[in-house]
Amino acid sequence: MINDKKVIFSGIQPSSDSVTLGNYLGALKNWVTLQDEYSCIFSVVDMHAITVRQEPAQLRKNTLSLLAQYIACGLDAEKNIMFIQSHVPQHAELSWILNCFTQMGELNRMTQFKDKSQKHPENINAGLYTYPVLMAADILLYQTDLVPVGADQKQHLELARDIAHRFNTLYSDTFVVPDAYIPAKNAGAKIMSLQTPTAKMSKSDPNPNGCIFLLDKPEDIIRKVKRAVTDSEAEVCYREGKDGINNLLTIYSTVTGKSVDEAVAEFTGRGYGDFKLAVGEAVAEHLRPIQERYDDLMKNKDYLESVYKKGAESAFSIARRTVTKVKKKVGFII
Ligand code: ATP
Ligand code: LTN
């Protein structure tokens, strides 16, 4: 607890120049609703991003851009700690120690590792393998109570809990055991690709039509939704097997604030063409003010720099306390 408030930690990788609608609906949009009630720490996790090869100049740009996207989505730099992961060395430090408390068998089970190894067979590096341990370090450094993430991160969260519990049992209470905070199934927990609605929408999807980016132009958003893969029926309803339509209904309901049932009622007797246009327009309309704020922020690099510098200082002082405690417990001379 910081100031009697529970602690929230979350992060997104700067692995592309814009976050996706999945990142926004599964994570960012929910973070915004938590910032008054909790002590929130949001990181741009650049150390995670290099588990996949990145072009250095582009990574630098993406990192600053992602911080601007956090703020544009409504995160307040006065209320939250916002920082760049590599600016706080304790992430790497704790990660090493926790590596020694994590079993290979546990890491072998991680589905994200299996997926990413398949996608990048030429670069299955050790960082990709121990990615969940660095993520556990991120979370445990700040004595985090709750971790708001999309449903795809549930397995990593469970591992972080297991590592925390193991360490606490071997030594004595050291880490808060964090809970996942995942949106309900139809509330954006897992937004699917528009082109392959059985796979999650992902920043690194090679097919740009599968993915709506937060910074996409309105006409591109509308075009991508028009081309979204659906089914050969003509009924707008939420039903098992209708992956494409289910996904569009989830998107529509989360950006308009209507329930899925209300959305279904609105489109009864209307064709997929009408429905897709309404979804595309609703998304474009929802993102418009965010994009305007983003453009303004990117004109003010000094401000962005002041945010991440202040953020790193605050994060550092919390992280240092935890690492000192951990080092003492494992027997290092301090
Ligand atoms: P990459 O493609 O580089 O692996 P990603 O798009 O999967 O990236 P991350 O940076 O790994 O995004 O994830 C950031 C946050 O967004 C996490 O909380 C994650 O759960 C959430 N998220 C990512 N994709 C989706 C999705 N399709 N639906 C809901 N939430 C998502
Ligand atoms: N692995 C996460 C990103 C991430 C994260 C974290 C999320 C890295 N460290 C700590 C929550 C808490 C992902 O979404 N792929």
Side-chain angles (χ1 to χ4, degrees):
M1 297 239 194
I2 304 176
N3 310 327
D4 288 342
K5 286 184 176 174
K6 285 196 170 180
V7 178
I8 287 219
F9 183 98
S10 201
I12 299 181
Q13 307 177 71
S15 45
S16 74
D17 54 7
S18 168
V19 301
T20 68
L21 192 65
N23 301 137
Y24 175 67
L25 297 178
L28 268 168
K29 187 166 180 282
N30 307 311
W31 300 358
V32 174
T33 65
L34 301 169
Q35 57 184 344
D36 291 315
E37 211 180 317
Y38 296 92
S39 261
C40 297
I41 307 172
F42 298 116
S43 183
V44 174
V45 290
D46 54 349
M47 288 159 68
H48 279 101
I50 62 162
T51 54
V52 171
R53 205 60 73 225
Q54 306 286 340
E55 204 277 304
Q58 193 62 46
L59 179 60
R60 254 187 296 275
K61 265 195 191 162
N62 293 348
T63 301
L64 197 67
S65 164
L66 182 53
L67 180 71
Q69 290 171 66
Y70 282 8
I71 302 169
C73 285
L75 294 179
D76 185 338
E78 298 299 318
K79 288 185 192 156
N80 309 295
I81 298 177
M82 287 193 258
F83 75 103
I84 297 167
Q85 186 187 30
S86 63
H87 289 180
V88 179
Q90 284 82 0
H91 290 256
E93 220 177 347
L94 183 62
S95 179
W96 173 257
I97 297 174
L98 296 183
N99 265 316
C100 304
F101 295 86
T102 307
Q103 299 304 305
M104 294 197 36
E106 294 180 297
L107 295 178
N108 288 338
R109 286 197 289 275
M110 296 293 127
T111 56
Q112 183 177 297
F113 173 67
K114 291 183 209 164
D115 290 350
K116 293 225 165 165
S117 311
Q118 261 177 11
K119 273 193 200 156
H120 305 278
E122 73 302 338
N123 183 21
I124 306 179
N125 60 74
L128 197 61
Y129 187 60
T130 58
Y131 175 117
V133 183
L134 177 59
M135 179 164 163
D138 296 344
I139 296 166
L140 302 181
L141 271 178
Y142 301 96
Q143 306 296 347
T144 302
D145 296 288
L146 286 176
V147 186
V149 281
D152 62 304
Q153 294 301 308
K154 196 163 172 251
Q155 200 183 27
H156 288 164
L157 240 297
E158 269 155 26
L159 180 66
R161 287 171 57 88
D162 289 346
I163 296 172
H165 184 254
R166 182 171 308 146
F167 195 96
N168 288 347
T169 311
L170 275 167
Y171 300 94
S172 56
D173 261 1
T174 308
F175 298 120
V176 169
V177 180
D179 282 315
Y181 191 92
I182 297 174
K185 195 165 164 279
N186 288 338
K190 198 164 183 187
I191 302 298
M192 309 311 269
S193 158
L194 299 180
Q195 289 297 312
T196 320
T198 46
K200 84 160 186 169
M201 183 182 281
S202 158
K203 280 193 233 93
S204 43
D205 188 340
N207 182 350
N209 289 326
C211 192
I212 295 175
F213 292 98
L214 189 86
L215 302 176
D216 271 348
K217 293 197 187 77
E219 57 270 29
D220 292 332
I221 296 173
I222 291 167
R223 177 177 46 81
K224 287 180 187 179
V225 177
K226 261 191 197 160
R227 289 196 195 159
V229 169
T230 50
D231 51 58
S232 54
E233 302 174 0
E235 193 191 352
V236 178
C237 67
Y238 198 99
R239 196 190 307 135
E240 203 172 322
K242 287 176 78 75
D243 300 309
I245 292 292
N246 294 351
N247 191 35
L248 293 180
L249 276 168
T250 302
I251 292 174
Y252 185 73
S253 84
T254 40
V255 297
T256 58
K258 296 175 186 171
S259 69
V260 169
D261 287 345
E262 282 166 341
V264 168
E266 194 178 335
F267 292 99
T268 308
R270 291 165 67 183
Y272 284 0
D274 261 14
F275 173 57
K276 285 177 165 179
L277 184 63
V279 175
E281 283 176 346
V283 173
E285 197 49 38
H286 186 87
L287 297 183
R288 195 169 47 85
I290 297 177
Q291 296 182 350
E292 285 168 5
R293 279 198 294 275
Y294 172 81
D295 290 340
D296 284 345
L297 283 159
M298 288 305 278
K299 287 181 202 135
N300 196 347
K301 302 265 163 49
D302 289 348
Y303 171 69
L304 294 173
E305 188 181 320
S306 72
V307 170
Y308 70 65
K309 284 204 162 146
K310 191 175 94 187
E313 276 173 27
S314 309
F316 181 87
S317 75
I318 307 171
R320 191 181 43 187
R321 255 178 278 152
T322 303
V323 166
T324 304
K325 199 156 115 182
V326 169
K327 282 182 169 172
K328 278 189 194 151
K329 298 228 178 169
V330 297
F332 293 168
I333 294 174
I334 302 286

